[in-house]
């Protein structure tokens, strides 16, 4: 919902209009969705397997949340870097609130019972944070490649 308040892209008016007969979700977007989903699945399963005994389910759940919180910054633009997009206070507030709620689910005893989670330690966070940020880097590489390719044509 907070993406609805995203400022317009800098070069939006320099692009030709989208063909109204083409699908909104075209082949390049489907490929991106596919490889991002695959990266999330592989990362989640790898961290589940690498997690200390008794924490696997909470690690898997939390890293999926972190992947989504990172990926929302990728979704701000299909071609522009997440680092060059304008400011969106609503997005930052939504990400902050979502992270706070996830921390409550992980660290508050009553919610542990409801969600079947356990408190995580520094070791788990040291695995999950780089994994989630790798998603941002993957998309930045794809976007840079696409920008370079479109400039050379």
């Amino acid at each position: 919902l907070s993406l609805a308040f995203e400022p317009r892209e800098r070069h939006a008016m320099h692009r030709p209009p989208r063909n109204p007969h083409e699908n909104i979700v075209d082949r390049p977007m489907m490929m991106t969705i596919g490889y991002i989903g695959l990266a999330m699945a592989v990362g989640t399963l790898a961290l589940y397997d690498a997690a200390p005994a008794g924490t696997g389910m909470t690690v898997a759940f939390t890293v999926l949340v972190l992947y989504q919180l990172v990926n929302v910054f990728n979704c701000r633009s299909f071609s522009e870097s997440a680092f060059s997009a304008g400011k969106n206070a609503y997005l930052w507030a939504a990400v902050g609130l979502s992270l706070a709620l996830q921390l409550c689910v992980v660290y508050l005893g009553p919610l542990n019972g409801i969600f079947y989670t356990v408190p995580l330690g520094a070791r788990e966070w040291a695995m999950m944070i780089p994994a989630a940020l790798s998603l941002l880097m993957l998309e930045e590489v794809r976007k840079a490649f696409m920008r370079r390719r479109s400039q050379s044509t």
Side-chain angles (χ1 to χ4, degrees):
L1 188 60
S2 61
L3 286 173
F5 297 99
E6 196 64 30
R8 70 175 175 85
E9 291 182 46
R10 289 181 303 172
H11 303 292
M13 297 305 289
H14 297 249
R15 291 192 303 259
R18 185 184 63 78
N19 183 340
H21 301 291
E22 290 180 5
N23 293 327
I24 292 174
V25 179
D26 58 4
R27 182 172 169 77
M29 188 175 287
M30 286 298 286
M31 297 294 289
T32 301
I33 292 168
Y35 94 80
I36 291 290
L38 181 63
M40 286 182 189
V42 169
T44 300
L45 292 173
L47 289 182
Y48 173 81
D49 189 51
T55 65
M57 292 296 286
T58 304
V59 166
F61 176 46
T62 302
V63 80
L64 275 173
V65 169
L66 294 177
Y67 276 138
Q68 293 304 321
L69 295 179
V70 167
N71 196 45
V72 73
F73 292 100
N74 289 333
C75 295
R76 295 176 78 188
S77 170
F78 190 69
S79 57
E80 295 294 319
S81 169
F83 300 106
S84 67
K87 294 180 180 167
N88 182 346
Y90 296 105
L91 179 64
W92 283 99
V95 168
L97 177 61
S98 298
L99 183 58
L101 290 171
Q102 182 64 23
L103 292 172
C104 289
V105 165
V106 171
Y107 292 108
L108 293 181
L111 293 178
N112 288 156
I114 294 169
F115 288 95
Y116 300 101
T117 57
V118 295
L120 300 175
R123 178 178 175 199
E124 291 87 359
W125 286 101
M127 295 185 314
M128 294 184 301
I129 291 171
L133 291 175
S134 71
L135 203 60
L136 182 65
M137 295 294 91
L138 271 174
E139 257 305 84
E140 286 299 311
V141 168
R142 183 200 62 81
K143 290 176 182 182
F145 176 77
M146 296 305 290
R147 284 192 304 272
R148 175 172 249 159
R149 196 171 114 194
S150 70
Q151 289 172 353
S152 65
T153 56

